[in-house]
């Protein structure tokens, strides 16, 4: 698996290519930074980032591109520039049909160092150790790009198994819910709670409703009932 990691930014956009598979030693193929002048127009800076990333894609032909997921920051201007550079990286990959994966900084730190709160120096030291480099890559954006590529190589197998399981579950659920065309289930007749299945107000066992216009026989009042006998006297 060959992955291009991109640490997005307008002034410095870190890029790094790592090759290998999970559980085996990894190899760094290249690392660098795409730079743009801070005093240039925004459109020109975005074009420079696009050309830089396209050059890396042409040279290394990665099978995947891993980009750092943008998260909220207090500096709105900084996060906007990061988001714009991130979009450029995803656009370049999508235009070539290369799958793109997004990883948060905490995910990358946890994958490389074992702690999602690791400092940049710790990330750089672990990247140097994992890739068997002589010194940590400079600047820190370059080291972060390599860390993104390492993170994706290690996390991709588990993510692929999860995605396959989710897809299989959706497929089985859709096939179970499918029915033959034109066949519908007959709804069951609802029954009034407490009813015995006969029509209210109608005596008998047939349960049929009375004919239109017919009225049920009035119930006899208590006055017409047979008198009760109590101790030989009439009530």
């Amino acid at each position: 698996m060959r992955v291009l990691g991109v640490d997005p930014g307008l002034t410095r956009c870190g890029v790094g290519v790592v090759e290998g598979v999970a559980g085996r030693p990894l190899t760094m193929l290249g690392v660098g930074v795409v730079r743009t002048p801070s005093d240039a127009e925004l459109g020109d800076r975005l074009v420079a980032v696009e050309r830089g990333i396209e050059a890396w894609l042409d040279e290394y032909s990665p099978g995947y591109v891993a980009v750092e997921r943008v998260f909220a920051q207090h500096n709105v201007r900084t996060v906007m520039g990061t988001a714009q550079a991130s979009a450029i990286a995803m656009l370049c990959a999508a235009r070539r049909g290369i799958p793109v994966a997004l990883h948060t900084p905490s995910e990358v730190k946890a994958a490389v160092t074992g702690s999602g709160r690791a400092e940049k120096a710790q990330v750089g030291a672990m990247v140097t150790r994992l890739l068997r480099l002589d010194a940590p890559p400079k600047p820190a954006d370059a080291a972060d790009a390599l860390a993104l590529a390492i993170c994706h190589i290690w996390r991709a197998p588990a993510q692929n198994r999860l995605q396959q399981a989710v897809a299989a579950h959706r497929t089985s659920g859709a096939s179970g819910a499918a029915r033959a065309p034109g066949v519908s289930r007959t709804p069951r007749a609802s029954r009034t709670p407490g009813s015995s299945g006969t029509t209210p107000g109608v005596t008998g066992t047939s349960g049929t409703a009375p004919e239109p216009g017919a009225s049920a026989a009035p119930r006899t009042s208590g006055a017409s009932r047979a008198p009760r006998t109590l101790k030989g006297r009439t009530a």
Side-chain angles (χ1 to χ4, degrees):
M1 178 184 295
R2 180 176 295 186
V3 181
L4 171 66
V6 180
D7 182 42
L10 277 180
T11 304
R12 296 185 307 273
C13 181
V15 287
V17 182
V18 178
E19 189 173 48
V21 294
R24 295 185 180 181
L26 305 177
T27 303
M28 184 194 74
L29 301 182
V31 65
V33 175
V34 177
R35 301 178 183 271
T36 64
S38 59
D39 57 348
E41 294 292 333
L42 176 60
D44 296 334
R45 300 180 72 181
L46 294 176
V47 170
V49 172
E50 180 197 17
R51 290 175 177 172
I53 295 177
E54 289 285 357
W56 280 80
L57 293 174
D58 289 337
E59 182 175 357
Y60 293 98
S61 301
Y64 300 88
V65 173
V67 184
E68 181 178 276
R69 186 185 296 274
V70 179
F71 62 97
Q73 292 179 344
H74 297 292
N75 192 333
V76 179
R77 183 177 180 180
T78 301
V79 73
M80 286 296 295
T82 303
Q84 290 164 345
S86 176
I88 292 296
M90 290 188 286
L91 171 65
C92 293
R95 189 159 49 197
R96 296 170 180 248
I98 302 175
V100 179
L102 301 178
H103 300 285
T104 65
S106 298
E107 291 174 347
V108 176
K109 293 177 182 178
V112 175
T113 68
S115 173
R117 299 183 179 181
E119 300 293 336
K120 282 188 174 293
Q122 294 176 282
V123 175
M126 287 303 301
V127 167
T128 303
R129 180 180 178 181
L130 293 171
L131 298 178
R132 304 178 303 282
L133 305 178
D134 296 332
K138 298 292 183 179
D141 308 88
D144 291 344
L146 292 174
L148 275 159
I150 296 172
C151 172
H152 184 70
I153 292 176
W154 285 355
R155 291 174 59 93
Q159 289 180 339
N160 291 338
R161 287 194 297 268
L162 178 60
Q163 292 175 355
Q164 291 174 359
V166 172
H169 177 72
R170 290 178 178 175
T171 302
S172 61
S175 61
R179 297 176 183 171
V183 178
S184 59
R185 180 181 298 177
T186 304
R188 298 179 60 184
S190 59
R191 299 179 61 182
T192 305
S195 64
S196 59
T198 59
T199 306
V202 180
T203 60
T205 58
S206 61
T208 57
E211 297 181 359
S215 58
R219 299 179 60 183
T220 57
S221 61
S224 60
R225 295 179 182 176
R228 294 184 302 173
T229 304
L230 179 60
K231 295 183 180 180
R233 297 183 180 180
T234 302

